[in-house]
Amino acid sequence: MSVFRNDLFLGRAALITGGGTGIGRGIAGALARYGANVAIVSRKLENLVGAAESIAAATGRRCLPMVADVRQPEAVDSAVNRAIQELGRLDFVVNNAAGNFVCPSAELSPNGFGTVLDIDAKGTWNMSRAAYRAWLKDHGGQILNISATLHYGGTPGQVHVAAAKAAVDALTRTLAVEWGPQGIRVNAIAHGPIGQTEGARRLFPGAAADQLRAASPIRRLGTIDDIVNLAVFVLSDAGSNLNGAILVSDGGLCLTGRLGLGVEVGPTI
Ligand code: HXC
């Protein structure tokens, strides 16, 4: 059962990066379920085709698979232009694509650091810029960035990701102020550990997940649905006074100061 109206996003169009898997796929499916046509963007066609077919079949909406690397501005421009051409408009952009791996800072190469900055921070910028220029500046709309909480403290093995997500937060706040007068809302969801995702497999395999669950004030990890439902709320008219907000969904874990994720490169929780 859903708490949202089925026609919440009827007639709207959305583009979701990293929309073939995990949280991005969940958000794409929900926006389609509530009436929007969607484009899902990823580097890997194999991550997109099955997701696009099943979203379209389950919802009766259009779901376009589009191959683009968010690090490449020309590819991002093309994806945005194609989405607008095929879907007729572009109301929501969800910057969800991200890169992550655990690596002790002393062992991280310059390219390793830069790669994650490029995917998360520059990718978010490339997509926001492209959508603004091609559609949002004239029609308004929303940008929703998927951030994290691991940079609220010091998370060992995550210096590259912490820097990247801090940049995403800064982009969120700056663009919210700069583009707000044009009817564009820019917000972020900062999530803590989510089970079921590629990030979880990389960051807290096995017993580390149990440690995090025990450390959480609500004694559970987040779920993809937690983030999907919050995204639907933010993008709906119920969120119309939200701009530049970074909404934390982590069960209160970051308030405990126990953000170590249980990774093996330093102090654990
Ligand atoms: C150390 C590593 C590494 C590792 C890659 N590198 N993996 N260094 N430990 N495990 C280094 C490489 O050696 C290289 O540097 C540089 O990073 C680029 O690596 P490539 O493999 O060439 O990059 P690429 O093929 O572009 O892949 C990007 C990637 C990859 C980020 C490295 O893991 C990826 O595609 N990830 C996408 C999916 C993903 O990460 N999803 C999880 C998001 S979770 P050198 O110097 O050797 O050239 C998330 C949640 C956060 O964001 C919040 C959680 C609570």
Side-chain angles (χ1 to χ4, degrees):
M1 195 189 76
S2 168
V3 298
F4 301 110
R5 257 192 5 235
N6 283 333
D7 63 350
L8 196 59
F9 298 129
L10 198 61
R12 306 295 186 90
L15 182 153
I16 301 98
T17 67
T21 57
I23 293 169
R25 191 207 176 292
I27 293 174
L31 298 186
R33 183 197 160 176
Y34 297 120
N37 291 317
V38 298
I40 54 175
V41 177
S42 160
R43 266 186 301 165
K44 296 176 188 155
L45 187 63
E46 65 268 26
N47 284 347
L48 292 172
V49 174
E53 283 172 3
S54 77
I55 288 171
T59 64
R61 299 293 153 194
R62 297 190 67 191
C63 183
L64 305 177
M66 292 186 183
V67 175
D69 187 331
V70 295
R71 291 172 284 191
Q72 295 171 355
E74 300 78 17
V76 168
D77 286 344
S78 300
V80 166
N81 288 332
R82 210 189 120 209
I84 293 168
Q85 199 174 25
E86 300 225 13
L87 304 181
R89 54 192 295 145
L90 184 57
D91 301 284
F92 311 133
V93 171
V94 181
N95 287 306
N96 163 77
N100 200 347
F101 51 83
V102 176
C103 184
S105 300
E107 291 166 27
L108 183 63
S109 72
N111 190 38
F113 185 88
T115 296
V116 172
L117 263 291
D118 282 349
I119 298 171
D120 294 22
K122 279 199 209 166
T124 295
W125 165 243
N126 289 339
M127 183 55 75
S128 301
R129 176 182 184 274
Y132 176 83
R133 291 162 71 102
W135 185 266
L136 298 177
K137 74 174 163 47
D138 296 322
H139 304 88
Q142 289 189 63
I143 297 170
L144 177 61
N145 298 326
I146 304 302
S147 189
T149 58
L150 46 79
H151 54 297
Y152 296 179
T155 303
Q158 292 283 279
V159 71
H160 44 327
V161 185
K165 293 301 193 184
V168 169
D169 291 356
L171 279 168
T172 303
R173 293 191 173 108
T174 305
L175 298 181
V177 171
E178 211 174 308
W179 293 349
Q182 287 159 278
I184 302 166
R185 292 198 285 121
V186 186
N187 292 294
I189 293 174
H191 66 78
I194 306 292
Q196 321 148 292
T197 60
E198 172 68 17
R201 282 187 285 279
R202 289 168 183 243
L203 293 176
F204 44 97
D210 296 331
Q211 279 184 287
L212 282 171
R213 199 175 288 110
S216 167
I218 60 169
R219 302 289 187 263
R220 71 169 177 88
L221 300 180
T223 66
I224 289 176
D225 275 351
D226 290 328
I227 308 310
V228 168
N229 287 325
L230 184 54
V232 170
F233 169 78
V234 173
L235 295 172
S236 77
D237 288 346
S240 63
N241 195 39
L242 294 172
N243 189 33
I246 298 171
L247 296 144
V248 174
S249 176
D250 76 339
L253 180 65
C254 70
L255 301 175
T256 69
R258 302 166 88 187
L259 283 165
L261 292 171
V263 296
E264 289 170 11
V265 296
T268 56
I269 56 174

